Every structure is written in structure tokens, then in C-alpha cells.
Amino acid sequence: MKKILLAIAAIVPFMAVAQDADPFSNIDELIKNTRAAETNIPGAEFPRTDSHNRVYFHYKSPNTQALTVDICSKKFEMKKDADGFFNVVTDSLPVGFHYYFLIADGISVIDPLTTTYFGCSRVAGGIEIPEGKEGDYYRPAKVPHGQVRSVQYFSETQQKFRRAMVYTPAEYETSGDKRYPVLYLQHGMGEDETGWSTQGFMQNIMDNQIAAGNVVPMIVVMDNGDVAEGFNPAKGGMNEFGASFYDVIIKDLIPMIDKTFRTKTDRDNRAMAGLSWGGFQTFNTVFNNPEVFSYAGAFSGAIFGLNTKTAYNGIFNDKDFNKKFHYFFLGCGSEENFGTENLVKQLRECGADAQFYLSEGTAHEWLTWRRCFNQFIPHLFK
Amino acid sequence: MKKILLAIAAIVPFMAVAQDADPFSNIDELIKNTRAAETNIPGAEFPRTDSHNRVYFHYKSPNTQALTVDICSKKFEMKKDADGFFNVVTDSLPVGFHYYFLIADGISVIDPLTTTYFGCSRVAGGIEIPEGKEGDYYRPAKVPHGQVRSVQYFSETQQKFRRAMVYTPAEYETSGDKRYPVLYLQHGMGEDETGWSTQGFMQNIMDNQIAAGNVVPMIVVMDNGDVAEGFNPAKGGMNEFGASFYDVIIKDLIPMIDKTFRTKTDRDNRAMAGLSWGGFQTFNTVFNNPEVFSYAGAFSGAIFGLNTKTAYNGIFNDKDFNKKFHYFFLGCGSEENFGTENLVKQLRECGADAQFYLSEGTAHEWLTWRRCFNQFIPHLFK
């Protein structure tokens, strides 16, 4: 390991002092007025954020011709100085979590200074842009903490081992024979079963809401929706993408969870929700199996061209829909265009009591989904 | 997310057929005769391994001048063809897990096609080199599976939230009031609390050994040893490096674990082990707190210059040492030079019954530590 350590120092954050007005001309001053991103690896001083939610990137790489930061779908070309340092300050970025990449002489790579996350169908860099008081709901607080458990199981359907991440509430450890309702919670396209507990901070949101008495203690199951590779029309239509998950959840996952954990196993105590493609998978799972679930949520759901009158055997026109489904939630960000509001309108025209939540100022991003989750969970199992 | 997807395709594994003897001249044939590494991200065809444990790397990156694979402390420069593809085949590599990096025009970055791991004081690429039958002990099998739980807690000592990874055996869920012994298990320098359950496959080794009846069901706690940044002599000597962990484990972690889980809390039911720097931390923790632990293991322990006669108040000369410590294990790889065998000799001269295990053909790497763990655990709590 020692030998490897010597070989990896090609990009190093470094301090230097110069005279011009460029913020990087006085690195000590820059460091004093900004803070290292909480998503950095231990000891990494850059990237840093300032009070305007701008991000400062700073690398030494003399042999590189061009270095660009690719963040929030926007590219920021870095300026190289005579000593081989690359610097750039971004615009003010939306608060919350964003994937990002570096493009080094044409190759899109991961910043060696960042913690990594599975997103965008690959391993990606990530940065948490701090926000003000709002963020308290997703930060850890001095309340009883639940656990996020990695649970390995053999899928008979797929004849392979799979992994589910399972949140259990703090009281689960000491509540004896008490049984709990279960929420199945799905990530989006290009992400995996780790998304909600790393990018989403779902465990902090649950812990805080349960401690505040707003949310019923529940188990939350996050599995891989088989959409990590990203949608490829050459491999089939939208309905095929991630379709392998439908048998897994019904035939393998739910039975394994009900066998392993102290769950309540009736439909009144089972919910499902998902973000983006996971929202589409939630619709397909819940409304094709109404005997299994009684709550549904789609956060920026990738639900396009749904004929609400005929879909799922006309379930949304069922006069008993609002009795059968205790809470039906759709949310999205005001800055994205996923057609959620229009879908809600159509669902309501059918008679389905779809609740709508608009996340102000956010796009197709994790802050939208943290907010949606926070809005959704108080309505479950009451 | 869609927009980001379009921007990340600069490195793409690609198929091509040509006529010369180069293995990359017929990619279809190459793919037929090799297999994608299990550490690749979903859908990534490269890197691939062959039956000789050679690795095939293959990228398209026309704008890059030079691309080098840096793996197992050896650099393999890739050959660029006229179409902008870079190719290389490594030598036969040791079986097991290895960190690796790409060097693109002088920058050391992470291969975008690999799952990532925290190692080498940063996020690193990783590749699992398949081996023959031996590897069965660390692969998942159709046996009851334990869980690896992420447990967040507030450290009073450090006044911040920390995370421990906690393995609970399969039977824990249904064993009522039964209480379990606990092994505290530490990673090495430049790694973190995720190392043992991702790079080390400790949960598979435990599941398989417990199922075979060789190992007593136990809880295994893996926390962050505060050595992620790597040793820096400018910040203090060896004894200072990671020293912040000693108060954490004794004052915060053990009490939290004993409060949260159904543990046996006496010294006869508490063990500690660690790899490399974690082995050094194990010595410092166990032998400075003999009232807390009764088992110790060091796998390739970074224990240099120890005066075995005087260290820890002369504990190794204590005539009751072998009564007080029920099992004392030191292991290392035959291809590394960490002085373990000599240390064992000195410990035995003091009278301490140090058991020695030599991992044949392995160096300072995860295969050594998987083997050491597999050797160590059958001796605990019997």
C-alpha cells in the first residue's frame, strides 16, 4: 500500500500566494473565507464552497492541457497558471447534492478528492452544497438513530445473489415482538440501492421525523431496480427497462423481508415510492398488484404518456380507488419538466385523489427527492 | 439526469475487429475468451480477466496523449491505435482484490468503469482477480446470511457524528434474548470503516464459517480508525497517527455497541483485530486495556520497533499472559516484509503464546487479510 501511496499524488491541492484580484491569488485568504465540501475525502481542502454556494476547484496538474468541471449539466473550464495549477469558481449552485465530473484532456473522470456515489449509470463524484436552516431535516441530529442494514439474499427469480438496504427505526432493537409496516423505496435510472441512504440521507429524515412524532416507526427497504445501466432504446422499449425488478420485488424481496424482519404483512401496512424511474416502477408495481400495496408515491416520476383512463385495468377510474389506496402522492421540482402536474390533473379527472407537492426552485435532483420523501412519510400507516 | 448522461461518454468500451496478432485486433474473440471483472460497474465490458489472471484494459479517448494503468504498484502503459483506442494487457496478477488507478496525461484518476473503494487515502478503483476453489470461503453461498448494519452515533469524545459498520450473524434476528460476543475489527491506513465489508468480504467469510459450524456466532464491529488521510510525519510521530481512535473505542464505541446490541460485555467475550495500521491500533488498544479484551489479532500489523520486554508495562512477560489472553494471533503474507515473523519470535521469547500464520504467495494486500481473518475467527470465544 505504501508504494501505491507514492504514485497517486499527481493532483494535489496546494497553497500559493500571488498579487492579482483572482480569488486563487491568495489561497490562505480563500481558505479562510470558504469551507471544504463535506463530500470531500478526509484531508482534502478542495473543492470548497462559499456563502453564495459557489464552488472553488483547484488542482495542480502541469502535464494536462485542459481541465473542465462538469457539474449540474454545465461545464466550467478551468484556467491554468504558469505553475501548472488549474483554478475555477462556479456560478452559485442549487443547494443539496449534485453529481460532478472532471474532463481532463477530453476524458470524463472522477475527481480524486471527492467521495464517490453510484449515479449517472457509473461511479460519480458528488458535492453537497450547504444550505441554511432547511437542511436541518436531512442532517443527523441528537435523536435516537435507526440503522441501514445491508442484506444479502439469493433471488430464485434471477438465480443470483442480490443486496437490499433496509432501514430499521431506532426502537426496533428493543421493541421485542412489535411488528412494523414497510415502505419499499426505489432510486432512479443510473443509480442503485445505495442512493437513498448516501445521496438521499433518508435515514436522517426518518430519524428526525420519528423523533418529532410526525412519522410512524416503519421499516424502509431499498433494493436495486435493475436500471443501473441507463435506458438504451436498442435493448427494448420503456416498459422493458427495469422490468426484471417486478418479479424480484413480488416473488423474492417481499417474502425475504417478511421472513427476516418483524413486519406487518397485510396491504394496509405496505407502501411503495420511488424517484424518477423508480416512480414509474412504483406505478407498475403498486397498480398491477393492488392486493399487495395500499400507498404509493412518485417523486419526479418518469411516467410519460400514461392513459390514466385505461392503464392498469382502469384502476384510477375505480370508484373505490380512494378507499383502497390510503395515500397517493406525486411530487416534482418547479424547475424540471417531467409532466407531473399534468399527470395529477388527469388522475384527479378519473377520480383518483392524487396529492401534489411542488418543490420550489429545484430541478431533477436529490434536493427535490429529499423534500418529497420528507413530505410523503408523515402520511403513511396512520 | 438525462443531460448529465449525455456528457459522460468520453470513455466508452467499444468493439472492433482487425487482422493482426494483437489480442485487441479481434474484440469479439477477446470477449469470448475472457470475462468482465466482477468489480466493473453494471454493463461495463472492460476491464476483463483471462484464465491466467491477466487483465485487459480497453478505452476510447482520442484526445488523450498517454494513458497508463497503475495496478499492484506496477505501471502498464497503454498503446494508442489510429482510431483513438488505448489497449493493454497486464502480467498475471495475484488473485484477490487490488486497488488501481489510471494516469491520463499525468493525472492519476479513477477508471470510470470500476466500482470504487476507499483505499490509498482516497477513493480508488478496484479489481477482483478471480481465483480457483480457494475463493469459495469468501464468496456468498446458499447459507443463512448475516447483515452489515450502518450505525450512526454521536461521539462525545470528538463531538461529532461517526459511523460504525456492524455485522450481526443470521440467527441474531430470531434468537430472542440471546447475547453475543463481540469482535472489533479495524482496517488499514488510507482505508475506512467500509473496507472489511467491501474489499474484505468479511460477511461472507463469517456466514460461511458459522454455517459450517467452525465459528461461534458473534457480532463484528468495524469503525473508522481515524487513519484515512495516511501517515504524515509532519503531523506527528507514529504513535500520534490514529491515536484519536483510542478514546473513541473505549469511551464511545464500546458503550454504544453494548447499549444498542445484545452483547456479552465481559472481557472474555470481547476481541480485537486489525490489518496493517489497524494491527498496530489493536496492540495499543488491547494491551493498554487488558481488562477490556481477552483476544487479539494483527494481520500484517504495522508494529515496528516494539520493545516486547518493556512495552505495555511488560505485559508480554507477565507469567499469566497466556491465561489472560485466550488467543493471540499474528499473520502476514510471504511476499511482504513487515517483520511479523521476527515479532512473533520476540513475543514468544517473552513467554507470550503468539500464534503465527503465513499466507503463502501474498503481499500486503486484501487476500492476505481475508485469509488471516478466516484463520483467526475459529479460535474466538470457545
Side-chain angles (χ1 to χ4, degrees):
Chain A
M1 195 181 312
K2 278 184 172 176
K3 285 180 195 163
I4 295 175
L5 279 172
L6 297 175
I8 60 167
I11 294 188
V12 188
F14 204 82
M15 300 191 188
V17 180
Q19 302 301 326
D20 63 342
D22 173 5
F24 294 94
S25 64
N26 187 335
I27 294 278
D28 288 340
E29 192 68 17
L30 172 59
I31 285 182
K32 209 175 76 187
N33 297 324
T34 55
R35 65 184 205 191
E38 65 185 73
T39 33
N40 292 357
I41 61 172
E45 291 286 3
F46 284 87
R48 304 181 75 79
T49 58
D50 69 12
S51 57
H52 300 285
N53 288 340
R54 291 177 295 214
V55 187
Y56 297 73
F57 290 93
H58 180 58
Y59 305 98
K60 184 169 190 177
S61 191
N63 295 326
T64 308
Q65 303 302 309
L67 199 57
T68 300
V69 175
D70 178 3
I71 185 168
C72 294
S73 306
K74 191 166 175 181
K75 292 190 176 66
F76 297 91
E77 194 172 337
M78 303 187 75
K79 200 174 151 188
K80 188 179 184 181
D81 72 13
D83 297 323
F85 286 93
F86 284 88
N87 298 314
V88 79
V89 189
T90 69
D91 304 335
S92 292
L93 296 181
V95 294
F97 178 89
H98 307 289
Y99 299 114
Y100 76 96
F101 300 93
L102 293 182
I103 303 173
D105 288 347
I107 304 192
S108 175
V109 294
I110 307 162
D111 182 354
L113 303 179
T114 177
T115 305
T116 53
Y117 302 87
F118 196 83
C120 314
S121 296
R122 55 178 277 199
V123 178
I127 189 163
E128 181 77 25
I129 307 292
E131 64 179 319
K133 204 164 161 35
E134 176 188 333
D136 288 352
Y137 71 87
Y138 57 69
R139 297 212 176 88
K142 289 189 184 176
V143 298
H145 296 296
Q147 299 172 355
V148 177
R149 308 180 180 191
S150 168
V151 180
Q152 193 166 226
Y153 68 101
F154 188 78
S155 162
E156 290 296 336
T157 303
Q158 298 190 329
Q159 287 295 304
K160 67 173 186 182
F161 287 98
R162 292 178 57 98
R163 179 176 70 160
M165 308 302 287
V166 180
Y167 170 88
T168 51
E171 65 168 52
Y172 188 87
E173 294 304 309
T174 52
S175 59
D177 292 336
K178 182 177 171 183
R179 305 188 80 85
Y180 292 83
V182 186
L183 165 63
Y184 290 80
L185 183 65
Q186 290 305 118
H187 58 83
M189 179 169 76
E191 297 171 340
D192 71 12
E193 69 274 18
T194 64
W196 271 107
S197 56
T198 52
Q199 292 96 307
F201 292 154
M202 64 72 62
Q203 66 279 38
N204 296 337
I205 301 173
M206 285 298 299
D207 288 347
N208 293 338
Q209 286 271 41
I210 291 170
N214 300 328
V215 163
V216 172
M218 67 184 80
I219 292 169
V220 184
V221 178
M222 298 152 281
D223 204 323
N224 189 315
D226 291 350
V227 292
E229 276 190 53
F231 178 61
N232 179 352
K235 291 188 179 176
M238 262 177 49
N239 288 325
E240 278 72 60
F241 183 56
S244 56
F245 181 61
Y246 302 129
D247 267 0
V248 170
I249 185 172
I250 298 294
K251 296 181 183 171
D252 295 327
L253 180 60
I254 292 175
M256 182 280 286
I257 292 294
D258 285 341
K259 192 179 157 193
T260 308
F261 294 90
R262 303 194 311 271
T263 58
K264 294 181 177 172
T265 59
D266 57 318
R267 69 181 291 283
D268 285 340
N269 286 290
R270 203 178 286 122
M272 184 171 179
L275 73 90
S276 195
W277 207 273
F280 178 61
Q281 291 182 309
T282 295
F283 265 52
N284 286 343
T285 305
V286 170
F287 299 123
N288 280 325
N289 301 279
E291 74 287 3
V292 180
F293 300 91
S294 64
Y295 295 85
F299 314 155
S300 311
I303 301 154
F304 308 119
L306 186 75
N307 184 328
T308 50
K309 295 197 176 120
T310 58
Y312 312 114
N313 296 316
I315 197 168
F316 301 119
N317 295 293
D318 182 342
K319 64 178 169 43
D320 292 330
F321 181 90
N322 298 323
K323 274 185 217 157
K324 288 181 184 161
F325 291 95
H326 309 312
Y327 191 69
F328 182 24
F329 173 100
L330 289 91
C332 68
S334 65
E335 308 305 305
E336 62 179 324
N337 192 7
F338 261 50
T340 305
E341 198 158 2
N342 190 44
L343 176 60
V344 168
K345 192 166 156 265
Q346 290 175 41
L347 289 164
R348 286 179 182 168
E349 282 169 5
C350 292
D353 186 18
Q355 299 297 313
F356 179 63
Y357 165 72
L358 188 69
S359 168
E360 284 296 342
T362 65
H364 204 66
E365 59 184 290
W366 275 99
L367 188 60
T368 302
W369 307 322
R370 289 178 191 169
R371 285 181 179 171
C372 282
F373 183 73
N374 195 45
Q375 292 289 327
F376 178 61
I377 53 177
H379 299 278
L380 300 180
F381 313 124
K382 285 179 174 173
Chain B
M1 194 181 315
K2 276 184 172 174
K3 285 180 195 162
I4 296 175
L5 280 170
L6 298 175
I8 60 168
I11 294 189
V12 187
F14 203 82
M15 300 191 188
V17 179
Q19 303 301 325
D20 63 341
D22 172 6
F24 293 95
S25 64
N26 187 334
I27 293 279
D28 288 341
E29 193 68 16
L30 171 59
I31 286 183
K32 209 176 77 187
N33 297 324
T34 55
R35 66 183 204 190
E38 65 185 74
T39 32
N40 292 358
I41 61 171
E45 291 285 4
F46 284 87
R48 303 181 74 79
T49 58
D50 69 12
S51 57
H52 299 286
N53 289 341
R54 292 177 294 215
V55 188
Y56 297 73
F57 291 92
H58 181 58
Y59 306 97
K60 184 169 190 177
S61 191
N63 295 326
T64 308
Q65 304 301 310
L67 199 58
T68 300
V69 175
D70 178 3
I71 185 167
C72 293
S73 307
K74 191 164 174 182
K75 291 190 177 64
F76 298 91
E77 193 171 338
M78 303 187 76
K79 201 174 150 187
K80 187 179 184 180
D81 72 13
D83 297 322
F85 286 92
F86 284 88
N87 298 313
V88 79
V89 189
T90 68
D91 304 335
S92 292
L93 296 181
V95 294
F97 178 90
H98 307 290
Y99 299 113
Y100 76 97
F101 300 92
L102 294 182
I103 303 172
D105 289 347
I107 304 193
S108 176
V109 294
I110 308 163
D111 183 353
L113 302 179
T114 176
T115 305
T116 53
Y117 303 87
F118 196 83
C120 313
S121 297
R122 55 178 277 199
V123 178
I127 190 163
E128 181 75 25
I129 307 291
E131 65 179 319
K133 204 162 162 34
E134 176 190 332
D136 288 352
Y137 71 88
Y138 58 68
R139 297 212 177 87
K142 290 188 184 177
V143 298
H145 296 298
Q147 299 172 356
V148 178
R149 309 179 181 193
S150 169
V151 180
Q152 193 166 224
Y153 67 102
F154 189 78
S155 161
E156 290 295 335
T157 303
Q158 298 190 329
Q159 288 294 304
K160 67 173 188 183
F161 287 98
R162 293 178 57 99
R163 179 175 71 160
M165 308 302 288
V166 180
Y167 170 88
T168 51
E171 65 168 54
Y172 189 87
E173 294 304 309
T174 52
S175 58
D177 292 336
K178 183 176 171 183
R179 304 189 80 86
Y180 293 84
V182 186
L183 165 63
Y184 290 80
L185 183 64
Q186 291 305 119
H187 58 83
M189 179 169 76
E191 297 172 339
D192 71 13
E193 69 274 18
T194 64
W196 271 106
S197 57
T198 53
Q199 292 95 306
F201 292 154
M202 64 72 62
Q203 67 277 38
N204 296 336
I205 300 173
M206 285 297 299
D207 288 347
N208 293 338
Q209 286 271 40
I210 291 171
N214 299 328
V215 164
V216 172
M218 67 185 80
I219 292 168
V220 184
V221 178
M222 298 153 282
D223 204 322
N224 190 314
D226 291 349
V227 292
E229 276 190 53
F231 178 61
N232 179 352
K235 291 187 178 177
M238 262 177 50
N239 288 325
E240 277 72 59
F241 183 56
S244 55
F245 182 61
Y246 301 130
D247 266 1
V248 170
I249 185 171
I250 299 295
K251 296 182 182 170
D252 294 327
L253 180 60
I254 292 175
M256 183 280 286
I257 292 295
D258 285 341
K259 190 179 158 193
T260 309
F261 295 90
R262 301 194 312 271
T263 58
K264 293 181 177 172
T265 59
D266 57 316
R267 69 181 291 281
D268 285 341
N269 286 291
R270 204 178 286 122
M272 185 171 178
L275 73 89
S276 196
W277 207 273
F280 178 60
Q281 290 182 309
T282 296
F283 266 53
N284 286 342
T285 305
V286 170
F287 300 123
N288 280 324
N289 300 279
E291 75 287 3
V292 180
F293 300 90
S294 65
Y295 295 85
F299 314 155
S300 310
I303 302 153
F304 308 118
L306 186 74
N307 184 329
T308 51
K309 295 197 176 119
T310 58
Y312 311 114
N313 296 317
I315 197 167
F316 302 118
N317 294 293
D318 182 342
K319 65 179 171 40
D320 293 329
F321 181 91
N322 299 322
K323 272 186 218 157
K324 288 181 183 162
F325 292 95
H326 309 312
Y327 192 69
F328 181 25
F329 173 99
L330 289 91
C332 67
S334 65
E335 308 306 306
E336 62 181 323
N337 193 5
F338 260 50
T340 306
E341 200 157 3
N342 190 45
L343 177 60
V344 168
K345 192 166 156 267
Q346 290 175 41
L347 288 164
R348 286 179 181 166
E349 283 169 5
C350 292
D353 186 17
Q355 300 296 312
F356 179 63
Y357 165 72
L358 188 70
S359 167
E360 283 296 342
T362 64
H364 203 66
E365 58 184 291
W366 274 98
L367 188 60
T368 302
W369 307 323
R370 290 178 190 169
R371 286 181 178 170
C372 282
F373 183 73
N374 195 44
Q375 293 288 325
F376 178 62
I377 53 177
H379 299 279
L380 300 181
F381 313 123
K382 284 180 174 172

